Amino acid sequence: MSLSLEKSSISLLLLLFFAITTTSSAHNITRILAKHPEFSTFNQYLSLTHLASEINRRLTITVCAVDNPAMDDLLDKHMSIYTLKNVLSFHVFADYFGSKQLHRITKGTTLTATLFQATGEAPGTSGYVNITNLKGKKVGFATEDNDGHFSANFVKSVQEIPYNISVIQISNIITSAAAEAPVAAPADVDLIDLMSKKGCKEFAKLLQNSKITKQFTDLVENGLTVFCPIDKVVNSFLPKYKNLTKNGQISLLLYHGIPDYHSLGMLRSKNGFINTMATTNGKNNKYDFSVKNEGDNVKLGTNIVTAKITETLLDEEPLAVYKIDKVLQPSELFKAQSINSDDTAPEPSSGNDDGDSNSDSDDSTNNNNGAMIMSVNCGWLITFFLSIGLVFV
């Protein structure tokens, strides 16, 4: 009886172990497509339009990839990057369709929502794709109102992680007048003026006085996220700021920017470390911080302070600006004994404060562009092994 109980307990723990390891794995569309050079252009534009990060954060998704010649035909239309994003988002389904599911559609036809529909950019239901089983075991793709004409067909399955992500190849771009409609670029935003009028005037002054505003504005087109501390905390922090060297001051200001666009939803969906504009290619100074979520609150943690996002000043891709309640203090510039203390000034770190750091990257979604570096919590693993030991006590 005792032996049977022990075996049952171990079996249960092993089941939990594999369940946790399975659910903790995440897909990465950039890495999946990187194994297939025939999709290199499609892969590149998923990153340029920031769709790759949106795909990666969703639990159930289908990506309809097209090869390089098909992408060349699309690019020959000379669309803006914003229109291209709509077109490509029309090729990402918010549901799972592997090869078997595509060939076994109930009643032979179905409508499925795309990311184009999910963004709210699609007029009416124009963001839905019709999937139909055709003669000769073919599968066709078209807009909802297609008059029986299907602009693309299923070619093959590229990679399937059942009910998580399915990447398939289709023959051509799915033609959609709604997705291909011209999209105007977002109006130019004066970053300094925005922050000055929204309670971050003192931080804006520091940027101007350090003459690094251009380093921020030059990144806006390709994606930028800024965390600006409120005036009250900046004023109280000024004595510490003035104790830093010139390079240290610049590094601290750059530490408040991420060279990539992160909506509040994206920040809420991931916990982990993130690179900043201060991150460089050295070995010792990473200048990163952690993003943590507690309920609806998003907190940014360094070894020195933990700041909270208190307000969204602007969230219009490719630019996001958030107000925070503390100045972010990197451990490269301050000693850790002053953690979460606003009253005691941290002593300058003895390390080099020139912003020299190392940022390893695996693909274009995290190539020193502020993409999330997911941290792994191993507490469950320790608990797992301890639990096995307790079974035999």
Side-chain angles (χ1 to χ4, degrees):
M1 180 68 180
S2 176
L3 182 59
S4 176
L5 180 61
E6 290 174 359
K7 289 182 177 179
S8 297
S9 299
I10 293 173
S11 298
L12 179 59
L13 289 169
L14 286 172
L15 184 62
L16 289 171
F17 172 80
F18 288 116
I20 293 170
T21 54
T22 300
T23 56
S24 65
S25 62
H27 56 260
N28 186 305
I29 185 61
T30 305
R31 293 176 184 171
I32 291 173
L33 292 175
K35 301 173 186 176
H36 305 274
E38 65 270 27
F39 303 122
S40 61
T41 306
F42 182 80
N43 196 13
Q44 176 188 2
Y45 277 90
L46 286 184
S47 294
L48 288 175
T49 57
H50 304 287
L51 282 172
S53 57
E54 180 69 17
I55 292 168
N56 291 341
R57 77 181 185 88
R58 290 184 174 259
L59 298 179
T60 302
I61 205 83
T62 298
V63 179
C64 300
V66 295
D67 61 17
N68 294 338
M71 279 299 296
D72 289 341
D73 291 340
L74 176 64
L75 296 176
D76 283 344
K77 296 181 179 181
H78 303 291
M79 299 173 177
S80 71
I81 193 69
Y82 307 102
T83 302
L84 278 173
K85 180 175 182 177
N86 284 346
V87 172
L88 295 182
S89 66
F90 193 65
H91 292 70
V92 182
F93 305 155
D95 202 352
Y96 180 86
F97 289 94
S99 179
K100 290 182 179 179
Q101 287 79 8
L102 287 172
H103 289 89
R104 298 176 183 175
I105 294 174
T106 303
K107 296 182 180 180
T109 186
T110 189
L111 288 175
T112 189
T114 67
L115 288 191
F116 180 48
Q117 183 71 29
T119 61
E121 297 290 335
T125 58
S126 61
Y128 282 82
V129 166
N130 178 292
I131 307 174
T132 298
N133 292 150
L134 306 173
K135 293 181 180 179
K137 296 183 178 181
K138 291 183 178 181
V139 180
F141 301 85
T143 56
E144 182 179 3
D145 301 320
N146 55 65
D147 296 326
H149 175 70
F150 292 86
S151 52
N153 293 319
F154 173 76
V155 176
K156 66 180 181 181
S157 174
V158 178
Q159 183 168 336
E160 297 180 17
I161 304 176
Y163 309 108
N164 183 3
I165 184 171
S166 172
V167 183
I168 62 173
Q169 180 184 359
I170 61 175
S171 58
N172 303 294
I173 290 291
I174 306 172
T175 303
S176 166
E180 295 179 16
V183 177
D188 290 337
V189 175
D190 187 324
L191 185 59
I192 297 298
D193 185 59
L194 172 69
M195 292 191 293
S196 297
K197 291 180 178 179
K198 297 287 187 176
C200 296
K201 185 176 182 179
E202 298 305 317
F203 183 75
K205 283 182 180 179
L206 294 180
L207 290 183
Q208 286 182 307
N209 293 340
S210 297
K211 299 180 180 180
I212 61 169
T213 304
K214 192 173 185 298
Q215 292 189 46
F216 283 80
T217 55
D218 283 351
L219 293 173
V220 170
E221 183 176 352
N222 292 321
L224 174 67
T225 303
V226 180
F227 302 97
C228 61
I230 58 177
D231 289 339
K232 179 181 177 181
V233 299
V234 173
N235 284 330
S236 64
F237 181 76
L238 280 178
K240 308 174 189 180
Y241 178 80
K242 292 177 180 178
N243 281 337
L244 296 172
T245 65
K246 180 67 174 178
N247 285 338
Q249 291 176 356
I250 291 174
S251 293
L252 182 131
L253 296 175
L254 294 176
Y255 190 61
H256 288 74
I258 301 172
D260 198 4
Y261 167 76
H262 290 281
S263 68
L264 194 59
M266 294 166 69
L267 291 172
R268 282 175 174 160
S269 68
K270 293 182 179 180
N271 289 296
F273 287 92
I274 192 167
N275 291 335
T276 69
M277 290 173 61
T279 302
T280 58
N281 295 320
K283 293 183 178 180
N284 300 319
N285 303 326
K286 291 184 177 181
Y287 281 99
D288 58 4
F289 55 75
S290 66
V291 177
K292 298 179 181 179
N293 294 273
E294 296 180 4
D296 290 332
N297 294 324
V298 178
K299 295 187 175 182
L300 314 176
T302 75
N303 287 335
I304 313 301
V305 297
T306 298
K308 182 174 70 175
I309 294 178
T310 59
E311 185 181 343
T312 300
L313 303 188
L314 180 72
D315 186 359
E316 295 181 5
E317 192 172 358
L319 176 62
V321 184
Y322 304 104
K323 188 185 290 186
I324 56 176
D325 63 355
K326 292 182 181 177
V327 174
L328 297 174
Q329 301 176 41
S331 57
E332 287 81 2
L333 298 178
F334 302 97
K335 291 185 178 179
Q337 68 238 32
S338 58
I339 292 177
N340 287 326
S341 172
D342 288 328
D343 299 324
T344 305
E347 296 179 20
S349 170
S350 58
N352 184 354
D353 62 6
D354 290 339
D356 196 26
S357 74
N358 183 37
S359 175
D360 294 330
S361 52
D362 292 318
D363 51 59
S364 59
T365 61
N366 64 353
N367 185 18
N368 195 26
N369 65 355
M372 290 291 183
I373 306 171
M374 294 304 296
S375 63
V376 180
N377 185 348
C378 294
W380 60 266
L381 187 58
I382 296 172
T383 303
F384 168 70
F385 287 113
L386 287 176
S387 299
I388 290 179
L390 288 173
V391 170
F392 298 99
V393 175

Coordinates of all heavy atoms in Angstrom, one line a residue, residues 79-87 116 121 178-186:
M79 N 3.9 50.5 -50.8 CA 3.0 50.9 -49.7 C 3.8 51.4 -48.6 O 5.0 51.1 -48.4 CB 2.2 49.7 -49.2 CG 1.3 49.0 -50.2 SD 0.6 47.5 -49.6 CE -0.5 47.0 -50.9
S80 N 3.2 52.2 -47.7 CA 3.9 52.7 -46.5 C 4.0 51.5 -45.5 O 3.3 50.5 -45.7 CB 3.1 53.8 -45.9 OG 1.9 53.3 -45.3
I81 N 4.9 51.7 -44.6 CA 5.1 50.6 -43.6 C 3.8 50.4 -42.8 O 3.6 49.3 -42.3 CB 6.3 51.0 -42.7 CG1 6.7 49.7 -41.9 CG2 6.0 52.1 -41.8 CD1 7.4 48.7 -42.6
Y82 N 3.0 51.4 -42.6 CA 1.8 51.3 -41.9 C 0.7 50.5 -42.6 O 0.0 49.7 -42.1 CB 1.3 52.7 -41.5 CG 2.3 53.5 -40.8 CD1 3.0 54.5 -41.5 CD2 2.7 53.3 -39.5 CE1 4.0 55.2 -40.9 CE2 3.7 54.0 -38.9 CZ 4.3 55.0 -39.6 OH 5.3 55.7 -39.0
T83 N 0.7 50.7 -44.0 CA -0.2 49.9 -44.8 C 0.3 48.4 -44.9 O -0.5 47.5 -44.8 CB -0.3 50.5 -46.2 OG1 -0.8 51.8 -46.1 CG2 -1.3 49.7 -47.1
L84 N 1.6 48.3 -45.0 CA 2.2 46.9 -45.0 C 1.8 46.2 -43.7 O 1.5 45.0 -43.8 CB 3.7 47.0 -45.2 CG 4.2 47.2 -46.6 CD1 5.7 47.4 -46.6 CD2 3.9 46.0 -47.5
K85 N 1.8 46.9 -42.6 CA 1.4 46.2 -41.4 C 0.0 45.7 -41.4 O -0.3 44.5 -41.0 CB 1.6 47.2 -40.2 CG 1.2 46.5 -38.9 CD 1.5 47.4 -37.7 CE 1.1 46.7 -36.4 NZ 1.4 47.5 -35.2
N86 N -0.9 46.5 -42.0 CA -2.3 46.0 -42.1 C -2.4 44.8 -43.0 O -3.1 43.8 -42.7 CB -3.2 47.1 -42.7 CG -3.5 48.2 -41.6 OD1 -3.3 47.9 -40.4 ND2 -4.0 49.3 -42.0
V87 N -1.7 44.8 -44.1 CA -1.7 43.7 -45.1 C -1.1 42.4 -44.4 O -1.8 41.3 -44.5 CB -0.9 44.0 -46.4 CG1 -0.8 42.8 -47.3 CG2 -1.5 45.2 -47.1
F116 N -5.7 42.0 -38.2 CA -6.2 43.2 -38.8 C -7.5 43.5 -38.2 O -7.8 44.7 -38.0 CB -6.2 43.0 -40.3 CG -6.8 44.2 -41.1 CD1 -6.3 45.5 -40.8 CD2 -7.7 44.1 -42.1 CE1 -6.7 46.6 -41.5 CE2 -8.2 45.2 -42.8 CZ -7.7 46.4 -42.5
E121 N -8.6 48.4 -37.0 CA -8.4 49.2 -38.2 C -9.3 48.7 -39.4 O -9.5 49.5 -40.3 CB -6.9 49.0 -38.6 CG -5.9 49.5 -37.6 CD -5.9 51.1 -37.6 OE1 -6.3 51.7 -38.5 OE2 -5.5 51.6 -36.5
A178 N -9.4 46.5 -48.2 CA -9.5 47.2 -46.9 C -8.1 47.2 -46.3 O -7.6 48.2 -45.8 CB -10.5 46.5 -46.0
A179 N -7.4 46.1 -46.3 CA -6.1 46.0 -45.7 C -5.0 46.8 -46.5 O -4.1 47.4 -45.9 CB -5.6 44.6 -45.6
E180 N -5.2 46.9 -47.8 CA -4.3 47.6 -48.7 C -4.6 49.1 -48.8 O -3.9 49.9 -49.5 CB -4.2 47.0 -50.1 CG -3.7 45.6 -50.1 CD -3.7 44.9 -51.4 OE1 -3.8 45.7 -52.4 OE2 -3.6 43.7 -51.5
A181 N -5.6 49.6 -48.2 CA -6.0 51.0 -48.2 C -4.9 51.8 -47.6 O -4.3 51.5 -46.6 CB -7.3 51.3 -47.5
P182 N -4.5 53.0 -48.2 CA -3.4 53.8 -47.7 C -3.6 54.2 -46.2 O -4.8 54.6 -45.9 CB -3.4 55.0 -48.6 CG -4.1 54.5 -49.9 CD -5.1 53.5 -49.4
V183 N -2.6 54.2 -45.5 CA -2.6 54.6 -44.1 C -1.7 55.7 -43.9 O -0.5 55.6 -44.2 CB -2.3 53.4 -43.1 CG1 -2.3 53.9 -41.7 CG2 -3.3 52.2 -43.3
A184 N -2.1 56.8 -43.3 CA -1.3 57.9 -43.1 C -0.3 57.7 -41.9 O -0.7 57.0 -41.0 CB -2.1 59.2 -42.8
A185 N 0.9 58.2 -42.0 CA 1.8 58.1 -40.9 C 1.3 58.9 -39.7 O 0.7 59.9 -39.9 CB 3.2 58.5 -41.3
P186 N 1.6 58.4 -38.5 CA 1.2 59.2 -37.3 C 1.8 60.6 -37.4 O 2.9 60.8 -37.9 CB 1.8 58.4 -36.2 CG 2.0 57.0 -36.7 CD 2.3 57.2 -38.1

